[in-house]
Amino acid sequence: MHIHKYEKIWLLFGIASLLVFTVTIGVSAFYMGNQPPSCLVTVDPAKVYETEPFNQPGLKQVGDKDYELVVVASAFNYDVGPEKVIQIPVGSTVNFIGTTTDVIHGFEVAGTNANMMLEPGYINTVKTTFNKPGKYTIVCNEYCGLGHHLMFATVEVVE
Ligand code: CUA
């Protein structure tokens, strides 16, 4: 089969544009620490507290300055374990793993890039590194009812 010279050029041009777009989207999606929503893992919202890791909400050290915080949101509370204030050393990376037992809640660690939605039936995660000491408030940024403004927890980053 004979392919015309111009047809070949346009075909190559098309493939090249596609590659440029794919790379641009692929790179920009993660630019400046952005993370596309992860919520691909599901959980039965009625059995959150019987399902790992949500049967033990709270902070877990998984490496040197590497932590996991398991969060169960519900109207109108963040269950982050027995302590309402989570303490970690400066420079720590925390992988927040969250879900909700009832309605959609927001999950934003104010002053960081950690921001996700917690949807019933789904497990969502977001990771961030705390390079400055101080108190970071976890707030609900998704209106969820009368006690919406009462939902919070605190991450305290210490030297
Ligand atoms: Cu939970 Cu607003």
Side-chain angles (χ1 to χ4, degrees):
M1 195 179 77
H2 177 75
I3 301 180
H4 197 275
K5 188 176 155 203
Y6 287 124
E7 214 174 312
K8 236 187 225 170
I9 291 169
W10 280 112
L11 203 64
L12 278 174
F13 178 74
I15 292 168
S17 318
L18 194 66
L19 279 176
V20 169
F21 275 123
T22 311
V23 169
T24 307
I25 290 167
V27 169
S28 61
F30 298 95
Y31 185 63
M32 303 261 298
N34 271 338
Q35 292 164 35
S38 57
C39 54
L40 299 170
V41 191
T42 55
V43 59
D44 182 344
K47 291 188 181 143
V48 167
Y49 276 109
E50 287 124 74
T51 312
E52 276 201 45
F54 303 106
N55 54 351
Q56 263 185 316
L59 191 70
K60 226 173 277 166
Q61 185 161 13
V62 291
D64 183 36
K65 294 204 169 182
D66 208 359
Y67 294 86
E68 256 176 30
L69 183 67
V70 176
V71 182
V72 179
S74 60
F76 302 98
N77 179 50
Y78 290 116
D79 189 349
V80 291
E83 307 286 336
K84 196 85 181 156
V85 178
I86 301 300
Q87 266 196 358
I88 50 163
V90 69
S92 297
T93 298
V94 181
N95 189 27
F96 297 96
I97 305 168
T99 191
T100 160
T101 59
D102 41 46
V103 296
I104 292 177
H105 295 281
F107 182 96
E108 184 183 349
V109 187
T112 73
N113 63 350
N115 190 356
M116 63 180 170
M117 255 164 87
L118 300 177
E119 298 164 80
Y122 292 94
I123 298 170
N124 215 338
T125 63
V126 70
K127 209 181 233 187
T128 197
T129 303
F130 295 88
N131 287 320
K132 277 193 200 140
K135 280 186 178 172
Y136 296 79
T137 309
I138 298 171
V139 292
C140 183
N141 55 11
E142 202 73 51
Y143 185 74
C144 52
L146 282 178
H148 165 69
H149 62 286
L150 300 174
M151 285 189 73
F152 73 94
T154 308
V155 176
E156 192 177 1
V157 180
V158 292
E159 296 270 15

